[in-house]
Every structure is written in structure tokens, then in C-alpha cells.
Amino acid sequence: MTINLNGKWRNQYNSEMDLAVVDNRVSGTFQTAIGQPSFEEKFEISGKINNNVIAFMVDFGKYGSLACWTGRFELDEIGPVIHTMWHLSQSEGGEEEQMAKAILTGVGTFRKP
């Protein structure tokens, strides 16, 4: 199974990433459709692939947060898909009740538009 990961991908929240894969290194840009940044802002992606698994990170810079996705890519009945779980860590918080709000986790499904 060969899946071309290069190019644009969109998740269920309408966030988009534009990936470039060379050997096992992933780079590109991410545009989020949720949260504080406007969709027009682009953030750098860096990551790795190993067989059909992928991990990548986005630094949201001045917004004080980092997000990491890990998952696997495959072909399903619709076409190429990347199934991920993500963690978003925010710099705000510090007290125990704030920590629950400072680290978020979810799932994401990316497909080529």
C-alpha cells in the first residue's frame, strides 16, 4: 500500500494542513479552524513517519500552545485517510483545576479535500 501524503488535508473541524514528506520526515503548514488563531495564519508542522504511522507537532507561537498528533494512515472505502489522536498543551494555568483546562485531548480524521 502506497499513500501519497504530500499535499492538502482537512479534518472534521475544517482545519487544513499542507504536508511535504521526504524520506520519513514530515514538514508543512497547519491552519486551524478552531481556537484563537485566525484561519489565515499558517503554523509550521514538523514530524516523522514510520511505515504507516505518523506523528507531527505544531507550535502555535504567540498563542502559547503546542499540539501533537499521532496516528496511522490508510486507504478506506472513501480514499486516503489519516486517523489521529491529538494533545494540545496551553501555557496558561498552573493550579490543579487550571491544569485540567490546560491539556486537551481529542481525535482527528484528515482526508484530502
Side-chain angles (χ1 to χ4, degrees):
M1 163 188 72
T2 301
I3 296 176
N4 182 1
L5 294 177
N6 292 296
K8 293 197 181 291
W9 294 81
R10 183 177 299 134
N11 70 11
Q12 73 271 28
Y13 306 112
N14 288 319
S15 296
E16 291 183 359
M17 61 182 179
D18 192 357
L19 297 182
V21 178
V22 176
D23 297 323
N24 68 336
R25 296 191 185 282
V26 177
S27 62
T29 57
F30 188 86
Q31 294 171 262
T32 184
I34 58 176
Q36 291 180 332
S38 71
F39 184 75
E40 289 72 32
E41 289 183 81
K42 292 185 179 184
F43 301 93
E44 180 183 352
I45 291 175
S46 62
K48 296 268 192 145
I49 61 170
N50 184 346
N51 294 316
N52 69 325
V53 291
I54 186 169
F56 58 92
M57 190 263 310
V58 173
D59 178 353
F60 289 101
K62 67 182 178 183
Y63 299 99
S65 60
L66 295 171
C68 298
W69 289 257
T70 59
R72 56 183 287 149
F73 50 92
E74 62 189 11
L75 286 173
D76 66 9
E77 62 279 352
I78 299 172
V81 60
I82 305 172
H83 295 286
T84 66
M85 176 168 272
W86 55 264
H87 297 283
L88 174 77
S89 297
Q90 302 175 53
S91 60
E92 59 193 47
E95 296 192 23
E96 199 166 317
E97 58 271 1
Q98 289 293 338
M99 289 304 291
K101 297 177 186 176
I103 302 171
L104 307 173
T105 299
V107 295
T109 302
F110 290 88
R111 293 191 178 274
K112 291 196 171 190

